[in-house]
PDB file of all heavy atoms in Angstrom:
ATOM      1  N   LEU A   1      16.510 -26.441   3.347  1.00 81.00           N
ATOM      2  CA  LEU A   1      17.061 -26.355   2.006  1.00 81.00           C
ATOM      3  C   LEU A   1      18.485 -26.885   2.020  1.00 81.00           C
ATOM      4  O   LEU A   1      19.248 -26.583   2.921  1.00 81.00           O
ATOM      5  CB  LEU A   1      17.091 -24.901   1.528  1.00 81.00           C
ATOM      6  CG  LEU A   1      15.763 -24.169   1.448  1.00 81.00           C
ATOM      7  CD1 LEU A   1      16.003 -22.701   1.152  1.00 81.00           C
ATOM      8  CD2 LEU A   1      14.888 -24.786   0.393  1.00 81.00           C
ATOM      9  N   VAL A   8      20.997 -14.644  -9.743  1.00 94.00           N
ATOM     10  CA  VAL A   8      20.052 -14.003 -10.644  1.00 94.00           C
ATOM     11  C   VAL A   8      20.664 -12.676 -11.045  1.00 94.00           C
ATOM     12  O   VAL A   8      21.044 -11.874 -10.192  1.00 94.00           O
ATOM     13  CB  VAL A   8      18.686 -13.790  -9.952  1.00 94.00           C
ATOM     14  CG1 VAL A   8      17.718 -13.112 -10.896  1.00 94.00           C
ATOM     15  CG2 VAL A   8      18.128 -15.119  -9.449  1.00 94.00           C
ATOM     16  N   PHE A  14      13.817 -14.607 -13.658  1.00 96.00           N
ATOM     17  CA  PHE A  14      14.331 -15.903 -13.228  1.00 96.00           C
ATOM     18  C   PHE A  14      13.167 -16.757 -12.737  1.00 96.00           C
ATOM     19  O   PHE A  14      12.482 -16.389 -11.774  1.00 96.00           O
ATOM     20  CB  PHE A  14      15.357 -15.712 -12.109  1.00 96.00           C
ATOM     21  CG  PHE A  14      16.081 -16.955 -11.702  1.00 96.00           C
ATOM     22  CD1 PHE A  14      17.282 -17.298 -12.295  1.00 96.00           C
ATOM     23  CD2 PHE A  14      15.561 -17.790 -10.730  1.00 96.00           C
ATOM     24  CE1 PHE A  14      17.962 -18.452 -11.915  1.00 96.00           C
ATOM     25  CE2 PHE A  14      16.228 -18.943 -10.338  1.00 96.00           C
ATOM     26  CZ  PHE A  14      17.428 -19.280 -10.941  1.00 96.00           C
ATOM     27  N   PHE A  16      11.895 -20.005 -10.910  1.00 93.00           N
ATOM     28  CA  PHE A  16      12.327 -20.961  -9.892  1.00 93.00           C
ATOM     29  C   PHE A  16      11.298 -22.086  -9.890  1.00 93.00           C
ATOM     30  O   PHE A  16      10.213 -21.959  -9.329  1.00 93.00           O
ATOM     31  CB  PHE A  16      12.390 -20.239  -8.544  1.00 93.00           C
ATOM     32  CG  PHE A  16      13.195 -20.928  -7.491  1.00 93.00           C
ATOM     33  CD1 PHE A  16      14.445 -21.442  -7.751  1.00 93.00           C
ATOM     34  CD2 PHE A  16      12.703 -21.008  -6.199  1.00 93.00           C
ATOM     35  CE1 PHE A  16      15.199 -22.047  -6.744  1.00 93.00           C
ATOM     36  CE2 PHE A  16      13.445 -21.604  -5.190  1.00 93.00           C
ATOM     37  CZ  PHE A  16      14.684 -22.131  -5.462  1.00 93.00           C
ATOM     38  N   LYS A  24      10.595 -23.863  -2.666  1.00 91.00           N
ATOM     39  CA  LYS A  24      10.562 -22.584  -3.381  1.00 91.00           C
ATOM     40  C   LYS A  24      10.188 -21.430  -2.442  1.00 91.00           C
ATOM     41  O   LYS A  24      10.880 -20.416  -2.390  1.00 91.00           O
ATOM     42  CB  LYS A  24       9.568 -22.654  -4.553  1.00 91.00           C
ATOM     43  CG  LYS A  24       9.898 -23.714  -5.596  1.00 91.00           C
ATOM     44  CD  LYS A  24       8.913 -23.752  -6.739  1.00 91.00           C
ATOM     45  CE  LYS A  24       7.473 -23.970  -6.364  1.00 91.00           C
ATOM     46  NZ  LYS A  24       7.160 -25.287  -5.791  1.00 91.00           N
ATOM     47  N   ILE A  28      12.433 -18.098  -0.926  1.00 94.00           N
ATOM     48  CA  ILE A  28      12.011 -16.698  -0.996  1.00 94.00           C
ATOM     49  C   ILE A  28      11.956 -16.088   0.400  1.00 94.00           C
ATOM     50  O   ILE A  28      12.386 -14.951   0.609  1.00 94.00           O
ATOM     51  CB  ILE A  28      10.660 -16.575  -1.735  1.00 94.00           C
ATOM     52  CG1 ILE A  28      10.845 -16.908  -3.220  1.00 94.00           C
ATOM     53  CG2 ILE A  28      10.066 -15.175  -1.565  1.00 94.00           C
ATOM     54  CD1 ILE A  28       9.558 -17.008  -4.005  1.00 94.00           C
ATOM     55  N   LEU A  34      12.531 -13.457   6.385  1.00 94.00           N
ATOM     56  CA  LEU A  34      11.324 -13.846   7.103  1.00 94.00           C
ATOM     57  C   LEU A  34      11.571 -15.132   7.882  1.00 94.00           C
ATOM     58  O   LEU A  34      10.914 -15.384   8.886  1.00 94.00           O
ATOM     59  CB  LEU A  34      10.152 -14.015   6.133  1.00 94.00           C
ATOM     60  CG  LEU A  34       9.764 -12.745   5.367  1.00 94.00           C
ATOM     61  CD1 LEU A  34       8.700 -13.050   4.329  1.00 94.00           C
ATOM     62  CD2 LEU A  34       9.288 -11.663   6.332  1.00 94.00           C
ATOM     63  N   ARG A  80      -4.068   1.417   0.397  1.00 95.00           N
ATOM     64  CA  ARG A  80      -3.594   2.727   0.869  1.00 95.00           C
ATOM     65  C   ARG A  80      -2.684   2.557   2.089  1.00 95.00           C
ATOM     66  O   ARG A  80      -1.659   3.235   2.207  1.00 95.00           O
ATOM     67  CB  ARG A  80      -4.765   3.645   1.198  1.00 95.00           C
ATOM     68  CG  ARG A  80      -5.419   4.227  -0.024  1.00 95.00           C
ATOM     69  CD  ARG A  80      -6.437   5.305   0.346  1.00 95.00           C
ATOM     70  NE  ARG A  80      -7.205   5.725  -0.781  1.00 95.00           N
ATOM     71  CZ  ARG A  80      -6.814   6.629  -1.679  1.00 95.00           C
ATOM     72  NH1 ARG A  80      -5.629   7.191  -1.576  1.00 95.00           N
ATOM     73  NH2 ARG A  80      -7.599   6.952  -2.683  1.00 95.00           N
ATOM     74  N   TRP A  92      -1.237   6.996  -6.279  1.00 96.00           N
ATOM     75  CA  TRP A  92      -2.505   6.273  -6.274  1.00 96.00           C
ATOM     76  C   TRP A  92      -2.965   5.964  -7.696  1.00 96.00           C
ATOM     77  O   TRP A  92      -3.605   4.936  -7.939  1.00 96.00           O
ATOM     78  CB  TRP A  92      -3.569   7.036  -5.492  1.00 96.00           C
ATOM     79  CG  TRP A  92      -4.777   6.191  -5.252  1.00 96.00           C
ATOM     80  CD1 TRP A  92      -6.008   6.358  -5.789  1.00 96.00           C
ATOM     81  CD2 TRP A  92      -4.844   5.001  -4.453  1.00 96.00           C
ATOM     82  NE1 TRP A  92      -6.861   5.358  -5.374  1.00 96.00           N
ATOM     83  CE2 TRP A  92      -6.154   4.508  -4.545  1.00 96.00           C
ATOM     84  CE3 TRP A  92      -3.923   4.305  -3.679  1.00 96.00           C
ATOM     85  CZ2 TRP A  92      -6.588   3.361  -3.893  1.00 96.00           C
ATOM     86  CZ3 TRP A  92      -4.342   3.152  -3.018  1.00 96.00           C
ATOM     87  CH2 TRP A  92      -5.654   2.690  -3.134  1.00 96.00           C
ATOM     88  N   GLU A  97      -4.458   2.087 -11.941  1.00 98.00           N
ATOM     89  CA  GLU A  97      -4.148   1.509 -13.246  1.00 98.00           C
ATOM     90  C   GLU A  97      -3.921  -0.003 -13.140  1.00 98.00           C
ATOM     91  O   GLU A  97      -4.421  -0.773 -13.969  1.00 98.00           O
ATOM     92  CB  GLU A  97      -2.918   2.190 -13.857  1.00 98.00           C
ATOM     93  CG  GLU A  97      -2.432   1.584 -15.153  1.00 98.00           C
ATOM     94  CD  GLU A  97      -3.426   1.655 -16.312  1.00 98.00           C
ATOM     95  OE1 GLU A  97      -4.403   2.421 -16.231  1.00 98.00           O
ATOM     96  OE2 GLU A  97      -3.221   0.934 -17.311  1.00 98.00           O
ATOM     97  N   VAL A 121      -5.025  -8.481  -5.489  1.00 97.00           N
ATOM     98  CA  VAL A 121      -4.627  -7.492  -4.479  1.00 97.00           C
ATOM     99  C   VAL A 121      -3.141  -7.661  -4.166  1.00 97.00           C
ATOM    100  O   VAL A 121      -2.386  -6.689  -4.090  1.00 97.00           O
ATOM    101  CB  VAL A 121      -5.470  -7.623  -3.182  1.00 97.00           C
ATOM    102  CG1 VAL A 121      -4.924  -6.709  -2.084  1.00 97.00           C
ATOM    103  CG2 VAL A 121      -6.937  -7.326  -3.455  1.00 97.00           C
ATOM    104  N   LEU A 133      13.307  -5.180  -7.363  1.00 97.00           N
ATOM    105  CA  LEU A 133      13.252  -6.639  -7.368  1.00 97.00           C
ATOM    106  C   LEU A 133      11.829  -7.084  -7.063  1.00 97.00           C
ATOM    107  O   LEU A 133      11.230  -6.627  -6.093  1.00 97.00           O
ATOM    108  CB  LEU A 133      14.198  -7.218  -6.312  1.00 97.00           C
ATOM    109  CG  LEU A 133      14.135  -8.720  -6.063  1.00 97.00           C
ATOM    110  CD1 LEU A 133      14.559  -9.513  -7.292  1.00 97.00           C
ATOM    111  CD2 LEU A 133      15.010  -9.092  -4.869  1.00 97.00           C
ATOM    112  N   LEU A 134      11.312  -7.970  -7.894  1.00 98.00           N
ATOM    113  CA  LEU A 134      10.017  -8.595  -7.634  1.00 98.00           C
ATOM    114  C   LEU A 134      10.255 -10.036  -7.218  1.00 98.00           C
ATOM    115  O   LEU A 134      10.905 -10.792  -7.951  1.00 98.00           O
ATOM    116  CB  LEU A 134       9.152  -8.582  -8.895  1.00 98.00           C
ATOM    117  CG  LEU A 134       8.388  -7.322  -9.200  1.00 98.00           C
ATOM    118  CD1 LEU A 134       7.791  -7.386 -10.605  1.00 98.00           C
ATOM    119  CD2 LEU A 134       7.311  -7.082  -8.177  1.00 98.00           C
ATOM    120  N   ARG A 156       6.585  -8.727 -17.490  1.00 96.00           N
ATOM    121  CA  ARG A 156       7.481  -8.322 -18.579  1.00 96.00           C
ATOM    122  C   ARG A 156       7.686  -6.805 -18.595  1.00 96.00           C
ATOM    123  O   ARG A 156       8.780  -6.313 -18.828  1.00 96.00           O
ATOM    124  CB  ARG A 156       6.937  -8.800 -19.922  1.00 96.00           C
ATOM    125  CG  ARG A 156       7.094 -10.285 -20.151  1.00 96.00           C
ATOM    126  CD  ARG A 156       6.629 -10.679 -21.563  1.00 96.00           C
ATOM    127  NE  ARG A 156       6.696 -12.103 -21.737  1.00 96.00           N
ATOM    128  CZ  ARG A 156       5.662 -12.935 -21.599  1.00 96.00           C
ATOM    129  NH1 ARG A 156       4.458 -12.468 -21.304  1.00 96.00           N
ATOM    130  NH2 ARG A 156       5.817 -14.236 -21.767  1.00 96.00           N
ATOM    131  N   ARG A 159      10.092  -5.744 -15.895  1.00 97.00           N
ATOM    132  CA  ARG A 159      11.464  -5.990 -16.326  1.00 97.00           C
ATOM    133  C   ARG A 159      11.917  -4.933 -17.328  1.00 97.00           C
ATOM    134  O   ARG A 159      13.026  -4.417 -17.255  1.00 97.00           O
ATOM    135  CB  ARG A 159      11.613  -7.374 -16.928  1.00 97.00           C
ATOM    136  CG  ARG A 159      13.066  -7.789 -17.121  1.00 97.00           C
ATOM    137  CD  ARG A 159      13.609  -7.933 -18.513  1.00 97.00           C
ATOM    138  NE  ARG A 159      12.764  -8.546 -19.466  1.00 97.00           N
ATOM    139  CZ  ARG A 159      12.954  -9.763 -19.953  1.00 97.00           C
ATOM    140  NH1 ARG A 159      13.923 -10.514 -19.536  1.00 97.00           N
ATOM    141  NH2 ARG A 159      12.154 -10.216 -20.879  1.00 97.00           N
TER     142      ARG A 159
END
Side-chain angles (χ1 to χ4, degrees):
L1 300 172
V8 180
F14 187 92
F16 198 46
K24 300 180 303 294
I28 291 172
L34 298 174
R80 283 189 189 277
W92 191 248
E97 175 63 15
V121 173
L133 173 64
L134 277 170
R156 286 184 184 97
R159 192 248 319 252

